Amino acid sequence: MNYDVALLHGTIIDPKTERSTVANLGFKDGKIAAVTRTIPEALQSFDVTGRIVCPGFIDPHTHVEGNKDCAELMVAMGVTSVLNGNCGMSPANFDEFMLQYSSQGFPVNQYEQVGHCTLRELAGNTDRYAPSSAAQIEKMRQLADDAFKSGAYGLSFGLEYVPGSSKAEVLALAEIAAAYGRPVSIHTRTDYNPGLDALIEALDITRKTGAAVNISHLAYMYGFGMSPEALRLIETAKRDGLDISCDSGLYSGFATQIGSAVFDEGCVEKWRTDYSAIIAGTGKYKGQRLTRDMYDDMRKNYPEDTGIGMVGNEYEVYEILDRPYVMVGSDAGTLYDNGVPGHPQDAGTYPRFFRTMVREQNRISIVDAIRRCTYLPAKRFGFDSKGFIAEGADADIVVFDLARIKDTAQYPCDGPTDSRPEGIDYVFVNGMLTVQGTTVIPTAAGNLIRAENKEWRW
């Protein structure tokens, strides 16, 4: 067979079988067509001697939703597939979004969830501090059901953004996800000390509805000294047989809109700090630590600008990521200013993971690190043809040098090209070369992939 692409003499790591070997890969029609030690004949061949060849990274927590600037930053750090619609935020017109990206390509593969915050607004509840009425809950349930029939891969909650949400509406919506056997991703109701009660609420979704639950960005919610207790609660639930998973990023400072409920009056007192712990990630104060006057100005006049809460403990990030069940997720795509992200997570998460957790701190093996970024999220969310190396798998592939891989993005990012990582030699999306060194090659190789949702059976 003449292959489209051949990767020669690389160190292939398959996270599904946890095997590492030197061999060659051949791609044909967007699939891995050969894993061999003979030399494949191909239209394009790349000698990757001494480099790691593994599945493309699958990010289970993003807000890309067609943001090409974000997608190009992400593919530059090895991400080939993203799960969108997190924190309760999804496209207002779900069907339109799915149709648009089903008919046109994109730099990365996209999977979509339907979000509770968006459903509340569509059902007529625009007050984030008010619970939804019975009629609004029923409307949300119907909209959620429609989204699953359109191919949604899950349901997400961002309860910290809509603090008035009742437990009744949360459970009523989770029942729809459970009926299709799809997971619920949840940004819990609050962080810091009160966040432990919020975590119990999230775990109870599984107990009360049967829906699988994924706890979102653990370090951002519990990396304030609460992570040991949060992890204990999660591990107790898992030992009890509950279907629980988690994702976490590589940063101790989180980012979201300064006008959101996350930054409501009293937030700095809750975090036991002052306004200088907040950095403006975008807008007129970009890069500056806030004063009370700047905070008030941004909240009143620039509520959509980024606030970066530098309030977590960095050591807890690594302690969370020590756990073998924690997937790596970036939280990328929420806030951009002229193509530049308001937080380094969009450009540095995955290289930072390999630099810190594997090379510098030697906390986990390279095989396990790759599993957390590939096969673990693929298996969790049902991405059946991704996250492993075998004939017939999708040819989403990253080639990198463990000795050189590192993040360069800072708080806040200076620009899209300045923040690209080092040590990633090639990235292929569905067999197409999309990254060579620090150069992103404009492509539309990615697909929007719809779930084939059916009634859940044991």
Side-chain angles (χ1 to χ4, degrees):
M1 178 186 290
N2 287 323
Y3 299 97
D4 300 323
V5 175
L7 302 181
L8 307 178
H9 316 302
T11 300
I12 296 173
I13 296 180
D14 173 36
K16 182 176 181 179
T17 60
E18 299 186 350
R19 293 178 59 191
S20 174
T21 191
V22 176
N24 309 311
L25 290 185
F27 304 161
K28 186 72 174 179
D29 298 328
K31 299 284 187 179
I32 297 173
V35 185
T36 178
R37 291 200 176 96
T38 61
I39 303 299
E41 294 184 7
L43 298 176
Q44 283 185 297
S45 294
F46 301 86
D47 188 334
V48 293
T49 301
R51 303 296 189 260
I52 289 169
V53 179
C54 70
F57 305 145
I58 298 170
D59 196 327
H61 190 105
T62 70
H63 303 269
V64 177
E65 263 94 18
N67 181 336
K68 188 177 178 181
D69 291 326
C70 178
E72 291 188 349
L73 277 175
M74 298 196 75
V75 77
M77 65 172 173
V79 174
T80 56
S81 297
V82 297
L83 181 64
N84 292 325
N86 282 285
C87 300
M89 305 168 193
S90 58
N93 191 323
F94 198 89
D95 282 340
E96 184 178 288
F97 176 86
M98 300 293 274
L99 285 170
Q100 178 182 352
Y101 287 98
S102 294
S103 61
Q104 70 181 59
F106 195 64
V108 297
N109 300 300
Q110 296 186 94
Y111 298 79
E112 196 67 34
Q113 299 175 102
V114 60
H116 170 230
C117 298
T118 302
L119 292 174
R120 278 170 61 95
E121 293 186 1
L122 292 173
N125 187 351
T126 57
D127 183 353
R128 65 194 187 193
Y129 304 105
S132 299
S133 67
Q136 289 169 336
I137 292 172
E138 188 54 40
K139 177 65 173 176
M140 286 191 284
R141 282 171 57 89
Q142 183 58 58
L143 290 169
D145 190 73
D146 291 344
F148 281 111
K149 289 174 179 174
S150 293
Y153 264 83
L155 167 71
S156 79
F157 291 100
L159 297 182
E160 194 172 17
Y161 293 99
V162 282
S165 301
S166 67
K167 292 183 179 181
E169 70 185 85
V170 170
L171 294 174
L173 282 172
E175 288 172 352
I176 304 299
Y180 287 103
R182 287 294 171 187
V184 171
S185 297
I186 181 163
H187 172 138
T188 52
R189 196 174 290 273
T190 188
D191 56 23
Y192 208 75
N193 279 321
L196 294 173
D197 287 337
L199 177 57
I200 292 170
E201 176 191 6
L203 298 174
D204 279 347
I205 291 173
T206 301
R207 290 188 175 95
K208 294 176 179 178
T209 69
V213 164
N214 183 64
I215 308 297
S216 297
H217 39 55
L218 282 181
Y220 288 164
M221 305 307 295
Y222 307 108
F224 309 81
M226 289 82 237
S227 62
E229 181 61 16
L231 292 167
R232 187 192 68 79
L233 289 168
I234 291 166
E235 288 165 9
T236 297
K238 289 175 71 65
R239 282 197 301 271
D240 288 345
L242 299 184
D243 196 351
I244 305 294
S245 61
C246 316
D247 66 69
S248 191
L250 269 291
Y251 298 86
S252 56
F254 69 87
T256 193
Q257 289 184 339
I258 193 70
S260 72
V262 175
F263 284 111
D264 272 357
E265 187 77 27
C267 64
V268 296
E269 289 80 10
K270 177 182 66 173
W271 298 324
R272 300 181 184 179
T273 186
D274 58 35
Y275 293 96
S276 67
I278 304 172
I279 298 174
T282 58
K284 65 183 286 189
Y285 298 117
K286 180 179 178 178
Q288 298 183 52
R289 289 185 175 269
L290 301 190
T291 63
R292 175 61 197 247
D293 288 344
M294 294 161 69
Y295 165 86
D296 289 340
D297 184 32
M298 289 185 71
R299 290 272 295 177
K300 180 179 179 180
N301 299 310
Y302 309 99
E304 295 185 358
D305 279 348
T306 309
I308 303 174
M310 303 293 292
V311 292
N313 299 319
E314 186 167 349
Y315 72 88
E316 290 189 71
V317 171
Y318 307 122
E319 291 181 355
I320 287 168
L321 288 165
D322 259 341
R323 297 308 205 272
Y325 54 83
V326 178
M327 300 174 284
V328 177
S330 69
D331 200 20
T334 48
L335 304 157
Y336 272 65
D337 186 358
N338 296 319
V340 180
H343 193 291
Q345 62 196 7
D346 293 47
T349 293
Y350 289 85
R352 187 179 181 91
F353 178 62
F354 287 94
R355 174 177 67 81
T356 58
M357 293 293 291
V358 180
R359 190 173 72 234
E360 295 178 352
Q361 299 182 28
N362 197 29
R363 286 177 176 259
I364 61 176
S365 70
I366 182 62
V367 175
D368 189 39
I370 289 170
R371 181 185 66 87
R372 310 277 204 89
C373 303
T374 58
Y375 185 63
L376 189 59
K379 186 177 179 181
R380 178 53 165 163
F381 293 99
F383 306 164
D384 295 335
S385 60
K386 299 188 184 296
F388 62 99
I389 301 286
E391 292 184 9
D394 292 342
D396 296 339
I397 298 292
V398 179
V399 179
F400 69 93
D401 183 351
L402 183 59
R404 293 188 300 116
I405 191 170
K406 71 174 186 178
D407 51 309
T408 66
Q410 304 295 321
Y411 292 101
C413 289
D414 293 327
T417 55
D418 297 334
S419 58
R420 286 180 182 163
E422 298 176 4
I424 295 178
D425 296 306
Y426 305 104
V427 180
F428 297 85
V429 177
N430 293 312
M432 187 176 295
L433 180 64
T434 58
V435 174
Q436 187 164 5
T438 58
T439 300
V440 175
I441 301 165
T443 71
N447 301 316
L448 185 138
I449 302 169
R450 294 175 184 260
E452 296 181 2
N453 289 317
K454 299 177 181 178
E455 181 184 352
W456 178 84
R457 298 284 185 182
W458 178 261

